[in-house]
Amino acid sequence: MRYGRTVPVTETSEVPSSELPPAPEQARAVFGERFDDAVRYAELLADAGVKRGLIGPREVPRLWERHLLNCAVLSEVVPEGVTVCDVGSGAGLPGIPLALVREDLKITLLEPLLRRTNFLTEVVELLGLDHVTVVRGRAEEVLGKLPPVHVVTARAVAPLDRLAAWGVPLLRPYGEMLALKGDTAEEELSGAKAALAKLGAEKTSVLQVGEGIVDPLSTVVRVEVGESPGGVRFAAKRAKAARVGRTRRRR
């Protein structure tokens, strides 16, 4: 049996370069001094990202509008100088576009699959994203092991109630989860309200971002939590994990 090999992100593409359109003018305005890095990231997604099965080849012609810019405009609602955990980061969306436009953030790309974390690590090193860390694991596995963050981000990971069960417990008290969603955001939020309340959510809203940059606008579901992110059950779990961590460090 012949096994496939991991293709370094710097290898020559087998995907015709014509499939990746030139960067739109909006990208220059959004990414600023990091525009060249954004172009390189788009090229990597169109090349190694397709070869490794991180994105489908049909996504290449719409990488800029549907993926990079759609994710980068999330920065409009992320506070300054905070810590961020991008849950189920996959090919780095939205975490890497967000990192390219916001060097004031400390971002963790959390992803359970090895082939994806390998890609993310290579991209982070290649683009010199010193404020980004790649962690392999599931959200429920790293609870209590990673420091709680101000903001959790996610895109196309899971339905909102399930996503919140993974992401909300990773937040600091009074933090927020920002989930990029589609046309059904309002309906999804309505159906998840009871689950969100149990997880300590105190306020929810649906936001539209990217005016003048993306069309249609990017839809973001914001879930703001109170003093106990994840609710009582997760508070106990975090405390237990912290105690175990302190015991291990003393050893």
Side-chain angles (χ1 to χ4, degrees), residues 84-236:
V84 178
C85 182
D86 188 33
V87 173
S89 196
L93 301 165
I96 289 179
L98 184 61
L100 287 170
V101 298
R102 293 288 300 277
E103 295 192 34
D104 60 300
L105 305 175
K106 296 292 184 183
I107 299 177
T108 297
L109 306 180
L110 181 62
E111 169 56 47
L113 295 184
L114 180 60
R115 63 187 172 90
R116 293 176 180 172
T117 54
N118 284 342
F119 175 81
L120 292 173
T121 299
E122 292 164 16
V123 170
V124 165
E125 292 177 354
L126 189 65
L127 301 184
L129 299 175
D130 297 333
H131 57 305
V132 177
T133 302
V134 178
V135 174
R136 184 185 176 197
R138 300 182 184 279
E140 57 269 34
E141 296 170 346
V142 302
L143 184 63
K145 299 176 183 177
L146 291 180
V149 296
H150 297 92
V151 177
V152 163
T153 59
R155 178 179 187 254
V157 173
L160 188 59
D161 54 350
R162 198 187 320 160
L163 172 62
W166 297 335
V168 167
L170 300 176
L171 290 169
R172 295 170 50 138
Y174 307 104
E176 59 185 324
M177 184 178 76
L178 300 172
L180 281 162
K181 289 288 183 178
D183 297 336
T184 61
E186 293 276 7
E187 180 182 345
E188 205 172 327
L189 178 57
S190 178
K193 283 265 176 102
L196 293 173
K198 290 180 181 178
L199 289 167
E202 295 194 342
K203 184 179 179 182
T204 60
S205 53
V206 175
L207 313 173
Q208 301 288 325
V209 295
E211 182 72 40
I213 299 169
V214 291
D215 185 17
L217 299 178
S218 297
T219 301
V220 181
V221 174
R222 171 184 268 161
V223 177
E224 300 172 73
V225 301
E227 191 173 350
S228 299
V232 176
R233 181 165 65 92
F234 286 100

